[in-house]
Amino acid sequence: MNTVTKPRHIGRNISRIRELKGMKQDALANAIGVSQQSVSNIEASETIDDEKLQAIAEVLGVSAEGIRNFSEEAVLNIIGNTYHVDNSSAVNYGCTFNPLDKLMQAHEEQIKLYERLVQAEKEKVEYLEKLLKK
């Protein structure tokens, strides 16, 4: 028995990924420089040229191959394996860092950068003062 597999509907995949990312067609259209109607037409198409697909993939933060091979079953499988329901509460075992720690780390880096900029300005002032004295 010979069965022909139907190719994946690229437009539908783009639509689902966009929706999962919480992005509207208008936002995607603006990001790739086309009209909202063009995005609607793209999402209705079974195929799309590689250049447009790459641009859309970049905006959505996924690879072009990820769009081509997108599967809702795989997404549900990942969610099912990541979240475990225990006593009516969902527990995420996937988070390996504290977001507040990341925020504090970024804040400390900004302080260090500011201190380096202030030091550079002090050095400039000292240099200019030396030039004025000469």
Side-chain angles (χ1 to χ4, degrees), residues 69-81:
N69 298 324
F70 176 76
S71 162
E72 289 195 43
E73 292 91 25
V75 171
L76 293 173
N77 189 27
I78 291 168
I79 291 170
N81 288 331

Side-chain angles (χ1 to χ4, degrees), residues 106-123:
H107 181 66
E108 290 169 1
E109 289 172 7
Q110 287 178 338
I111 290 172
K112 288 177 186 175
L113 175 62
Y114 176 74
E115 289 171 347
R116 287 195 310 263
L117 289 171
V118 168
Q119 184 60 37
E121 288 300 314
K122 285 180 183 177
E123 290 170 4

Side-chain angles (χ1 to χ4, degrees), residues 60-124:
L60 293 176
V62 297
S63 67
E65 205 54 38
I67 292 174
R68 283 188 194 97
N69 298 324
F70 176 76
S71 162
E72 289 195 43
E73 292 91 25
V75 171
L76 293 173
N77 189 27
I78 291 168
I79 291 170
N81 288 331
T82 305
Y83 289 91
H84 301 281
V85 179
D86 223 5
N87 296 330
S88 300
S89 65
V91 180
N92 179 2
Y93 293 103
C95 189
T96 59
F97 65 90
N98 183 346
L100 291 177
D101 289 342
K102 291 290 186 184
L103 181 64
M104 291 305 296
Q105 182 181 7
H107 181 66
E108 290 169 1
E109 289 172 7
Q110 287 178 338
I111 290 172
K112 288 177 186 175
L113 175 62
Y114 176 74
E115 289 171 347
R116 287 195 310 263
L117 289 171
V118 168
Q119 184 60 37
E121 288 300 314
K122 285 180 183 177
E123 290 170 4
K124 280 186 204 175

Side-chain angles (χ1 to χ4, degrees), residues 17-37:
I17 294 169
R18 178 184 55 75
E19 290 167 356
L20 288 169
K21 296 265 187 180
M23 183 182 282
K24 301 256 184 223
Q25 281 185 343
D26 287 342
L28 179 58
N30 287 336
I32 62 172
V34 298
S35 68
Q36 180 271 327
Q37 185 61 41

